[in-house]
Amino acid sequence: MDSRARNLLDEALGLDQLTQLKPPLGGKAVLIEDCVETSGSFVLHQLIKRLLTAVPNSSNVVLFLAFANPFSHYDRILRKLGCNLGAQREKGRFIFVDMLNVECPVGEEGKAGGRSGLFALFANITKVLNALPESNRKCLTIVIDDVSLMEVAAHGSSDHVLDFLHYCHTLTSDYGCSLVTLNHEDIYSSMDGLVFLKQMEYAADVLVKVEPLATGLAADVHGQFDGLQMTVLNRGSLNNRMSNFQFRIKENSVEYFYPGARA
Amino acid sequence: MAATKTRTSSFSRNLPAASSAQSPEIKCGPNGTFFVSSGIPDLDKTLGGGIPLGSLVMVMEDSEAPHHMLLLRNFMSQGLVHKQPLLYASPSKDPRGFLDNKQDFSNEFDLRRPLDRHFYTTQHVDCISTHDLPNLAPLQERCTSFLSHFPRSDSNIVCTGRIAIQSLCAPQCENSSMEWEMLSFIRALKSTVRSANAVAIITFPSSLVSPSFCKRWQHLADCLVSVKAIPDEDKELAKLLTGYQDIVGFLNIHKVSRINTQVPAVLEATTLSIKLQKRRYLVLECLNQAPIDGSGGTSYGTSGSCSGSSSKSGSLNF
């Protein structure tokens, strides 16, 4: 299984050889941007599947903060992709935090404001992190689906949401764990909204944009994928790696191909 | 082959009992979903069978025309025909009064037949006016208590409910400027509907909401459509489309509910024309391009097979 050829998505996300020695995303922060016309959630699904099933007996743990869909939705989708989320959850490898109905995230008692709710959520995350053995902490990946709904849960206090995300970023540098967030780019196209998105983009190491084709709908090609990996080399120079390809989403897999190269 | 305790192998189908119950109001859909009818057969067909249970449908209104009311009316009527409890919220001061007028109950939904009153009063129909609500908390409570009657379970689907909210954030309501509160309400409704055997439809005047909030609303919807009025006496359009005189507006499908699946729905046509056949029956048709005289012009999409009006374009069959 682990000698499976890397596909274009793996390369774009920097999912290096998924061996037990190296954490799969290398302690990076990934931001996935999508829009109403084309959803980027398939990238999340693929990522979860890779993290949990690519290497048998690996110590990868996924902490999933779900604001958009319930567990049953992801369970069904991942099952078709070949990953049993229920079993992974029982083994403690997939931790699902259902934030769908949580108005002020994880408020302690009663009327906690959005800010203290996010604070409590972060405390929850650090608790999960500390519960892992020290050598395995870098194998934790925090996935947030999606950030715009986190803003709604916090009643619009985007600053607090940004603070929360920055705290999560510190975890990537302190512990070496990885962070994957999904957000909707078309919400922030107005001037004041742009700041929020730019902050998230700035903090990310890997930036992924999922868009519809400029030519409109097509049954064979569901959209295009733009990826940017930013790595700072030892001397401080920046090494940017760009990927651009198209995709077609099926029930049990996703095909990736360069424009015009579809067999 | 692992002997799992709680779940059978991933190849088995856990078809709940409802599918064999043959209840007409619910149809089995793919990926463990169930469909209810929108009340418009053409729309059901375009959406792939109907509206999946647990979906939140949002309709972007055209402020110049009340076509969204056609959709709402058909949606509510279908629910009443199938004896599905209904919660209807509207900015008018007397929502129940709307239900009293112009309703129709044959499945053909003859928009001119008067209401069959006894049929409607025996149903469980709950109405609430959003006009004077200072905030959305009462509406949210009513929705939550309504939905608590339809808990989702894997066994028999006994009853499904419908929620219809008309013109949320209409300017005449006091609460229309509270954008984040609106979003909270919609998010809460969406998650409650998802875990219930129910479908909710919300119409809203999209031009009156700020662009970024409008996008947020759109992202919250599972199924997103918009209606647009057709200008009267537009000679350009009349040349372009067959049956122009019968068309009252356009219906655009932006998003189709993707519950339990990651595969996007690619529709054959995303723009449909709304016609009132014989001024009574609502039909949706793919746009048919009128026979061209060779002078070009934009083409609106596929000319799917439609009733009646395509006889003239027969001359274009190569």
Side-chain angles (χ1 to χ4, degrees), chain B residues 241-314:
Chain B
L241 300 170
T242 54
Y244 167 76
Q245 321 77 271
D246 297 325
I247 302 179
V248 296
F250 296 120
L251 177 83
N252 240 301
I253 303 174
H254 300 276
K255 221 165 125 176
V256 176
S257 200
R258 296 283 88 200
I259 296 179
N260 292 347
T261 177
Q262 63 174 5
V263 183
V266 182
L267 303 176
E268 226 179 67
T270 53
T271 305
L272 305 170
S273 62
I274 305 174
K275 286 189 183 178
L276 288 177
Q277 248 176 16
K278 297 180 191 156
R279 296 185 168 275
R280 287 161 148 207
Y281 306 113
L282 183 70
V283 287
L284 299 175
E285 291 181 352
C286 290
L287 297 177
N288 258 339
Q289 188 171 3
I292 4 174
D293 56 1
S295 51
T298 53
S299 94
Y300 271 55
T302 65
S303 57
S305 62
C306 299
S307 52
S309 46
S310 49
S311 49
K312 287 206 189 115
S313 45

Side-chain angles (χ1 to χ4, degrees), chain A residues 69 73 80 99 101 186, chain B residues 31 187 191 194 219 260 262:
Chain A
N69 292 297
H73 171 88
K80 277 179 256 178
M99 305 294 296
N101 288 309
D186 46 4
Chain B
N31 306 312
R187 177 178 164 250
S191 56
R194 197 66 112 81
H219 275 288
N260 292 347
Q262 63 174 5

Side-chain angles (χ1 to χ4, degrees), chain B residues 14-141:
Chain B
N14 291 323
L15 279 178
S19 58
S20 49
Q22 298 296 332
S23 45
E25 68 248 33
I26 305 167
K27 227 168 46 168
C28 246
N31 306 312
T33 53
F34 292 93
F35 287 130
V36 292
S37 170
S38 61
I40 308 168
D42 293 325
L43 184 60
D44 286 344
K45 205 165 58 167
T46 312
L47 291 178
I51 305 173
L53 266 187
S55 295
L56 175 66
V57 181
M58 296 189 75
V59 180
M60 298 197 283
E61 302 172 10
D62 183 352
S63 43
E64 292 170 17
H67 297 319
H68 56 278
M69 296 310 299
L70 290 171
L71 298 182
L72 263 186
R73 212 184 294 153
N74 279 277
F75 175 77
M76 294 195 285
S77 308
Q78 182 71 74
L80 294 173
V81 165
H82 282 154
K83 297 187 171 47
Q84 294 165 336
L86 168 71
L87 174 64
Y88 172 49
S90 117
S92 87
K93 300 213 179 169
D94 177 29
R96 202 167 271 265
F98 169 75
L99 286 177
D100 279 336
N101 306 323
K102 327 187 254 213
Q103 281 306 308
D104 46 63
F105 292 95
S106 73
N107 277 335
E108 283 280 288
F109 293 143
D110 182 346
L111 295 164
R112 291 204 304 190
R113 276 213 1 240
L115 166 78
D116 193 353
R117 195 172 289 263
H118 103 276
F119 188 69
Y120 137 77
T121 51
T122 52
Q123 308 306 322
H124 175 59
V125 176
D126 216 354
C127 295
I128 174 170
S129 165
T130 54
H131 193 277
D132 296 319
L133 293 183
N135 57 46
L136 289 168
L139 179 60
Q140 189 165 334
E141 275 165 33

Side-chain angles (χ1 to χ4, degrees), chain A:
Chain A
M1 267 305 177
D2 39 283
S3 56
R4 172 200 300 228
R6 297 191 310 172
N7 60 28
L8 289 172
L9 181 72
D10 295 337
E11 287 180 20
L13 292 176
L15 279 172
D16 296 289
Q17 288 81 29
L18 295 174
T19 63
Q20 300 199 25
L21 303 168
K22 216 163 150 185
L25 281 169
K28 293 196 215 109
V30 180
L31 172 62
I32 304 165
E33 292 177 0
D34 68 359
C35 51
V36 175
E37 297 82 15
T38 313
S39 166
S41 49
F42 74 93
V43 182
L44 286 182
H45 306 148
Q46 290 294 106
L47 209 55
I48 294 172
K49 181 201 161 183
R50 271 276 187 254
L51 290 170
L52 292 177
T53 60
V55 179
N57 304 321
S58 81
S59 40
N60 291 332
V61 176
V62 174
L63 172 60
F64 196 94
L65 306 179
F67 289 87
N69 292 297
F71 179 76
S72 54
H73 171 88
Y74 299 106
D75 187 26
R76 265 196 188 260
I77 294 175
L78 266 297
R79 233 191 295 171
K80 277 179 256 178
L81 292 175
C83 173
N84 189 334
L85 283 186
Q88 299 287 355
R89 187 162 64 164
E90 277 165 29
K91 281 196 274 184
R93 304 263 315 278
F94 183 74
I95 302 165
F96 188 83
V97 181
D98 189 332
M99 305 294 296
L100 256 68
N101 288 309
V102 181
E103 196 48 42
C104 320
V106 199
E108 231 66 37
E109 65 285 271
K111 301 308 278 167
R115 179 174 169 271
S116 50
L118 290 177
F119 189 73
L121 180 61
F122 185 73
N124 217 353
I125 294 176
T126 44
K127 198 168 73 169
V128 168
L129 198 55
N130 289 324
L132 292 174
E134 189 153 349
S135 51
N136 286 348
R137 282 181 196 159
K138 58 185 188 306
C139 298
L140 176 72
T141 305
I142 304 166
V143 182
I144 305 179
D145 180 19
D146 61 67
V147 176
S148 65
L149 290 176
M150 200 192 294
E151 285 184 280
V152 177
H155 289 276
S157 37
S158 308
D159 290 339
H160 296 133
V161 174
L162 266 181
D163 287 343
F164 174 84
L165 291 174
H166 284 140
Y167 271 96
C168 290
H169 276 114
T170 60
L171 292 179
T172 64
S173 46
D174 289 350
Y175 294 94
C177 52
S178 314
L179 176 67
V180 180
T181 49
L182 176 75
N183 206 348
H184 306 301
E185 178 217 10
D186 46 4
I187 292 177
Y188 303 98
S189 38
S190 68
M191 263 327 289
D192 23 336
L194 216 45
V195 175
F196 184 84
L197 191 66
K198 288 296 175 198
Q199 294 235 18
M200 286 187 73
E201 286 180 2
Y202 180 78
D205 302 303
V206 179
L207 190 54
V208 165
K209 216 178 260 204
V210 170
E211 290 170 317
L213 291 180
T215 44
L217 285 181
D220 289 340
V221 182
H222 291 149
Q224 65 189 35
F225 181 104
D226 292 309
L228 176 64
Q229 279 183 62
M230 295 167 280
T231 19
V232 180
L233 299 176
N234 286 335
R235 302 259 172 78
S237 59
L238 207 58
N239 180 22
N240 284 356
R241 183 179 173 184
M242 311 221 325
S243 350
N244 182 293
F245 50 87
Q246 295 174 342
F247 56 87
R248 178 182 177 215
I249 306 172
K250 302 193 292 202
E251 286 288 358
N252 47 20
S253 67
V254 182
E255 285 173 11
Y256 309 99
F257 42 89
Y258 290 112
R262 194 128 193 284

Side-chain angles (χ1 to χ4, degrees), chain B residues 209-263:
Chain B
V209 188
S210 68
S212 103
F213 275 92
C214 190
K215 279 292 171 194
R216 286 185 192 268
W217 287 54
Q218 291 177 19
H219 275 288
L220 274 168
D222 291 311
C223 178
L224 179 69
V225 300
S226 65
V227 286
K228 212 164 159 58
I230 197 169
D232 286 329
E233 306 301 326
D234 186 326
K235 296 202 169 36
E236 287 295 319
L237 272 181
K239 267 194 286 182
L240 215 49
L241 300 170
T242 54
Y244 167 76
Q245 321 77 271
D246 297 325
I247 302 179
V248 296
F250 296 120
L251 177 83
N252 240 301
I253 303 174
H254 300 276
K255 221 165 125 176
V256 176
S257 200
R258 296 283 88 200
I259 296 179
N260 292 347
T261 177
Q262 63 174 5
V263 183

